[in-house]
């Protein structure tokens, strides 16, 4: 079992920055992949970024390209999403998720709301 708790969301003006955090517990954090997803009102959940247990990263090369950075601190059991140059279309609930090796994201946090005003 893995428990995930996101934090860091809030209201920010367009062009601003936020850093989301996701604290994990329950299993050895350094052994599994983590990812961020988001879901805007009326839209399907979409992939944002992934960081492998080894540190390799993958991004959605569309809307967030060049603006968001995923990172992890295994000593703190935490994954981060640094979001810069935020746009109103980034408004969504952001979720972190863990893939412990089954090829899918089995564990999810409760989500944190990010609202970007124009």
């Amino acid at each position: 079992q893995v428990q995930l708790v996101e934090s860091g969301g809030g209201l920010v003006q367009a062009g601003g920055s936020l850093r989301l955090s996701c604290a994990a517990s329950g299993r050895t954090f350094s052994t599994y992949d983590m990812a961020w997803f988001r879901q805007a009102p009326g839209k399907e959940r979409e992939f944002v970024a992934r960081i492998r247990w080894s540190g390799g990263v993958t991004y959605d090369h569309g809307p967030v390209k060049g603006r968001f950075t995923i990172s992890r601190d295994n000593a703190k059991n935490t994954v981060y999403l640094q979001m810069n140059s935020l746009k109103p279309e980034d408004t969504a609930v952001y979720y972190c998720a863990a893939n412990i090796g089954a090829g899918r994201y089995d564990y999810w946090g409760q989500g944190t709301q990010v609202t970007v005003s124009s």
Side-chain angles (χ1 to χ4, degrees):
Q1 290 285 343
V2 174
Q3 294 79 44
L4 303 172
V5 179
E6 301 100 334
S7 61
L11 174 64
V12 64
Q13 289 188 333
S17 298
L18 282 174
R19 188 177 79 157
L20 306 183
S21 300
C22 173
S25 61
R27 291 178 69 111
T28 305
F29 181 71
S30 61
T31 64
Y32 53 86
D33 298 349
M34 295 292 297
W36 287 96
F37 293 78
R38 67 184 184 183
Q39 187 166 20
K43 295 186 177 181
E44 293 186 354
R45 186 172 60 198
E46 64 178 3
F47 169 81
V48 175
R50 177 192 72 183
I51 186 164
R52 300 295 305 274
W53 63 270
S54 58
V57 298
T58 303
Y59 295 98
D60 173 351
H61 289 288
V64 307
K65 182 180 180 182
R67 300 187 296 121
F68 291 8
T69 302
I70 189 171
S71 62
R72 65 190 298 159
D73 185 337
N74 289 338
K76 295 183 177 180
N77 292 350
T78 301
V79 64
Y80 303 98
L81 186 68
Q82 177 68 43
M83 305 186 295
N84 298 327
S85 302
L86 283 162
K87 305 175 181 181
E89 51 264 44
D90 294 318
T91 295
V93 178
Y94 284 71
Y95 300 91
C96 65
N99 172 1
I100 63 171
R104 60 184 182 270
Y105 292 96
D106 282 332
Y107 299 97
W108 295 81
Q110 82 287 352
T112 185
Q113 176 71 47
V114 171
T115 303
V116 184
S117 63
S118 57

